[in-house]
Amino acid sequence: MTNIEKGSISYSASDKIGTIEFHHPKGNSLPSALLKEFADTIELAGKNEEVNVIVIRSKGDGAFCAGASFDELLAIDNFTDGKKFFMGFAHVLNAMRTCPKLIIVRVQGKTVGGGIGIASAADYCLAHRDASIKLSELALGIGPFVVGPAVTRKLGTAAFSSLALDARNWYTSDWAHSKGLFNKVLKTTEELDEAVQQLANDLASSNPEAMKEMKEILWQSTGHWHATLEQRAEISGRLVLSNFTREFIQEFKKKK
């Protein structure tokens, strides 16, 4: 594997609200080192007894998340590394699922692939009106296998099928809202931030035991995800080695 610019994860806690912010200079994409730190930070925040609710956001006013790091995908040259990379996304989704605290996700811009998985794993997701979405994996020759269970749980099979198969086109925030991915869509960044803060404040002052019970109810029947997401990571880890995928990414990078 080549050395990939790491990006950053920051975590702060105040007034019973834990805030996790991720950043990468390439559209807030998520290389494996960042994914591991991301999952570890979610678990850390979940164990903090001084935190009642967690907010996940990305840095800047541009894309919320560009998904997988194309540089790192190109650097994968064996199945073991391929599976390991996609398990990074699996660990983040499972960390969100098993976290005992309710998680709010703030989506300020375009969201691709794994970013849609993060939005889907939110217990409540608020988005800017410009936050269009796309599951581009099938166009890459991979398929949205790891994020599939999270997206299907939130949007349903029909909407997941639309995103997964129409892999070259963007879907609007209004469409995402109508299908349940976004719980609320706001017109401006200021309104988005105010809505996120208001909900976080409301939940921070709620009964932690009641919220923990609510979290378990919201995620019932997902106990199989550890095994399921690992199987999905194996599929992606195999397909990322295909000539189709490697040639697609190389051509894509030439256009950038």
Side-chain angles (χ1 to χ4, degrees), residues 124-135:
Y124 200 99
C125 185
L126 299 98
H128 191 279
R129 64 179 177 183
D130 293 335
S132 53
I133 63 173
K134 179 167 66 172
L135 279 180

Side-chain angles (χ1 to χ4, degrees), residues 11 16 26 52 57 60 65 77 80 94 104 112 128 136 143 161 163 177 193 195 202 214 219 248 250 252:
Y11 168 59
K16 298 183 179 180
K26 294 186 177 180
N52 287 351
R57 55 184 292 152
C65 180
D77 60 8
T80 299
N94 272 320
I104 301 168
V112 182
H128 191 279
S136 59
S161 176
L163 284 174
H177 185 207
D193 287 335
D202 291 345
M214 191 68 205
W219 287 92
F248 179 95
Q250 288 170 348
F252 180 86

Side-chain angles (χ1 to χ4, degrees), residues 31-63:
S32 57
L34 201 60
L35 286 166
K36 183 181 186 308
E37 188 176 356
F38 197 178
D40 290 346
T41 304
I42 293 169
E43 292 179 2
L44 177 67
K47 295 175 182 177
N48 187 343
E49 296 183 358
E50 299 301 316
V51 166
N52 287 351
V53 61
I54 297 168
V55 175
I56 290 177
R57 55 184 292 152
S58 64
K59 188 174 182 178
D61 298 322

Side-chain angles (χ1 to χ4, degrees), residues 224-235:
H224 62 88
W225 275 29
H226 283 291
T228 297
L229 296 190
E230 182 173 1
Q231 292 171 352
R232 300 293 185 87
E234 290 175 353
I235 297 172

Side-chain angles (χ1 to χ4, degrees), residues 56-229:
I56 290 177
R57 55 184 292 152
S58 64
K59 188 174 182 178
D61 298 322
F64 169 70
C65 180
S69 165
F70 274 18
D71 289 335
E72 191 163 4
L73 287 177
L74 273 178
I76 294 171
D77 60 8
N78 62 81
F79 170 75
T80 299
D81 284 345
K83 177 184 175 181
K84 181 179 179 181
F85 175 80
F86 288 101
M87 280 301 296
F89 284 97
H91 291 320
V92 169
L93 297 179
N94 272 320
M96 294 178 70
R97 177 180 69 86
T98 59
C99 178
K101 312 295 172 64
L102 293 172
I103 297 176
I104 301 168
V105 172
R106 172 192 181 272
V107 179
Q108 80 278 11
K110 288 185 174 182
T111 305
V112 182
I116 298 178
I118 293 169
S120 297
D123 298 304
Y124 200 99
C125 185
L126 299 98
H128 191 279
R129 64 179 177 183
D130 293 335
S132 53
I133 63 173
K134 179 167 66 172
L135 279 180
S136 59
E137 287 90 338
L138 196 62
L140 274 65
I142 303 173
F145 300 112
V146 174
V147 301
V151 180
T152 301
R153 168 185 168 272
K154 204 63 172 289
L155 281 72
T157 301
F160 170 64
S161 176
S162 294
L163 284 174
L165 301 186
D166 192 13
R168 290 174 170 81
N169 290 308
W170 292 95
Y171 283 68
T172 67
S173 59
D174 286 338
W175 185 90
H177 185 207
S178 72
K179 301 304 179 183
L181 175 63
F182 298 152
N183 298 98
K184 189 176 291 186
V185 174
L186 291 306
K187 293 181 179 179
T188 68
T189 301
E190 291 74 19
E191 290 175 345
L192 174 61
D193 287 335
E194 288 175 4
V196 170
Q197 190 63 51
Q198 183 61 60
L199 180 59
N201 287 339
D202 291 345
L203 291 175
S205 63
S206 298
N207 183 347
E209 293 183 11
M211 290 190 290
K212 182 179 179 180
E213 293 292 341
M214 191 68 205
K215 176 89 177 196
E216 292 182 359
I217 290 173
L218 290 174
W219 287 92
Q220 62 185 349
S221 302
T222 61
H224 62 88
W225 275 29
H226 283 291
T228 297
L229 296 190

